[in-house]
Amino acid sequence: MSTQPKAGAVLFAKDVARLAAFYAQVLAVVPKHAHAEKVVIEAEDFLLVIHAVPPAAAATLEISAPPVLRENVPVKLFLPVRSLAQARLSTQQLGGGMKPADAEWSGPDFRACDGFDPEGNVVQFREVAREPALAS
């Protein structure tokens, strides 16, 4: 039993249900709690809370298709997936996307690629490295 709460993040959304469905499907997890204004997605090591933007602010937000990427923000999530190739397919089917496979890069124990969700939030997806990265 853990002695500390899980780490996590809160992501504010105009369309809570759509964004929660996107992350739950791409991350291959089932939401732990789901309400109209908040959905909690729990993975083994973290929680992702999709929370509604206040109605007055939501009324001023326009989400285009494809969405305009929110690249100039001070925070970017990185989230684990079982497969970058599968995540690439899922993100596209669910209104988001990922950079092509040739944009993937390797860390010490993972392979990563940037993508985005249906509201334009930039997110990095990471899979476990199949082979350890070589030291420089």
Side-chain angles (χ1 to χ4, degrees):
M1 185 169 148
S2 177
T3 60
Q4 294 186 40
K6 290 183 179 184
V10 176
L11 189 58
F12 290 92
K14 180 173 183 171
D15 186 338
V16 171
R18 182 176 189 203
L19 213 57
F22 173 87
Y23 282 104
Q25 290 180 41
V26 172
L27 301 176
V29 296
V30 176
K32 182 176 180 175
H33 301 287
H35 304 284
E37 295 168 356
K38 180 173 59 175
V39 176
V40 178
I41 297 169
E42 182 173 21
E44 186 176 334
D45 296 325
F46 72 95
L47 296 172
L48 179 61
V49 178
I50 309 298
H51 198 292
V53 172
T60 67
L61 291 176
E62 286 190 39
I63 307 295
S64 60
V68 174
L69 300 188
R70 298 175 182 157
E71 297 176 299
N72 296 319
V73 297
V75 174
K76 176 170 65 174
L77 297 176
F78 63 90
L79 301 170
V81 294
R82 292 184 182 132
S83 159
L84 290 175
Q86 181 58 48
R88 188 170 286 105
L89 293 173
S90 296
T91 59
Q92 291 171 350
Q93 293 169 348
L94 297 165
M98 281 178 65
K99 289 183 177 179
D102 64 5
E104 294 176 6
W105 58 278
S106 294
D109 58 356
F110 63 87
R111 188 138 180 87
C113 192
D114 283 355
F116 59 93
D117 68 26
E119 293 200 3
N121 298 299
V122 176
V123 59
Q124 184 179 99
F125 297 103
R126 293 181 177 189
E127 69 180 11
V128 173
R130 296 193 185 2
E131 298 176 16
L134 299 174
S136 306

